[in-house]
Amino acid sequence: MPAELRWNRLTIAAASEEEFLQAVFDYFPQLLQLPYEYVEVDITGTAEISEDAFRSIAIKLIGGEAAEKKMLIRIPPSVDRYFRHANLYRMVDIDVVTPVQANGKADPAAIKASIKAGRFEKKAGAKAKPAVDLTEKAPEIAPEPSEITPEAQPQKAQRPPEKATKAEVGYLVDVESGSRHQIKEKLVIGREAPSDLVFQIPTISKRHFHINRQGGGFVIEDLRSTNGTYLNGLPVHEPVPLRDGDEIVVAITLKHPKGARVFQFTTKSD
């Protein structure tokens, strides 16, 4: 059998993409119905799959079918790039597992694939566990500091306070429409009121991010959004000072790989 559902774990060891897809459609809904708050999916026994086959799981996760569960997915290095490109590291725990040969050493081919995917540097066979980010849909428990390796910590937007642009008033420019929104003290962006600026786009959270006036300048902060806030290409995990020309992108998903909305921050009045 290419798949086995036992206790809170679904293990898929399919020999072909057809078997993999069938196992996902047959067993994944059953896994989500189990009376466990924390469930696991193990696809390390499956041969390399294409991005289209990977979407069979990704769409279920992004679509919210697993919203009520905390989930760990064990994957082979060959599919790590799909999970990273889809931004799923923000939504579930992901454990990249390197196969071990009979002699107890890591498979060189697997390590090479892992290095190519940007997962390993010096520690062959190390399991990388990313720092957990809390979201509206998938709240998670952060790992102990000893469990977080340097390779596992994603880059995040950082900037010394002195680099922030000083101004009494700031502006958030919607790149798509060209509209400008003045910021005096605080501006909240989200999908629903009471957000100050509302975009009725499903991938944008009810309260997605806000910009506050602070220390003579302005600071951006993600509000535990489901699909993330990015400042100049880096995820915002803590308050970050803003400066003229900064690009802000929200809700990067499979449906919106370049973001559901793009903004620019400026302190210039026109």
Side-chain angles (χ1 to χ4, degrees), residues 40-185:
E40 299 180 9
V41 178
D42 188 332
I43 64 172
T44 56
T46 296
E48 183 171 356
I49 60 175
S50 69
E51 187 168 5
D52 286 340
F54 151 77
R55 287 171 185 261
S56 63
I57 284 182
I59 291 175
K60 292 179 181 298
L61 296 173
I62 292 177
E65 293 184 40
E68 302 302 320
K69 301 286 187 181
K70 296 177 183 177
M71 185 173 295
L72 169 67
I73 301 183
R74 291 189 173 89
I75 63 174
S78 57
V79 302
D80 177 51
R81 61 188 182 277
Y82 301 148
F83 280 79
R84 287 189 170 278
H85 291 167
N87 203 32
L88 288 177
Y89 272 85
R90 294 179 54 84
M91 304 180 71
V92 295
D93 285 331
I94 298 174
D95 187 8
V96 182
V97 180
T98 301
V100 177
Q101 299 179 355
N103 59 9
K105 297 182 179 180
D107 184 350
I111 295 175
K112 184 177 180 180
S114 300
I115 294 173
K116 186 176 180 181
R119 294 297 300 162
F120 293 86
E121 294 177 359
K122 295 182 179 179
K123 296 183 179 179
K127 294 182 181 179
K129 181 177 285 187
V132 176
D133 177 58
L134 298 178
T135 67
E136 289 180 347
K137 286 189 177 180
E140 300 167 347
I141 300 174
E144 294 297 323
S146 60
E147 295 180 347
I148 304 176
T149 64
E151 304 98 303
Q153 295 190 29
Q155 283 187 303
K156 57 185 177 182
Q158 294 182 349
R159 179 174 296 158
E162 64 270 21
K163 293 291 184 69
T165 301
K166 305 293 183 179
E168 296 293 327
V169 177
Y171 300 89
L172 188 67
V173 181
D174 185 332
V175 172
E176 182 177 327
S177 67
S179 58
R180 297 166 60 87
H181 306 276
Q182 189 180 79
I183 312 167
K184 289 186 177 180
E185 294 298 331

Side-chain angles (χ1 to χ4, degrees), residues 4-5 7-8 10 22-36 39 60 65 69:
E4 179 185 40
L5 181 61
W7 299 106
N8 69 331
L10 168 61
Q22 191 63 48
V24 170
F25 288 119
D26 288 347
Y27 291 96
F28 202 87
Q30 297 179 46
L31 175 70
L32 299 182
Q33 291 175 7
L34 294 175
Y36 300 106
V39 295
K60 292 179 181 298
E65 293 184 40
K69 301 286 187 181

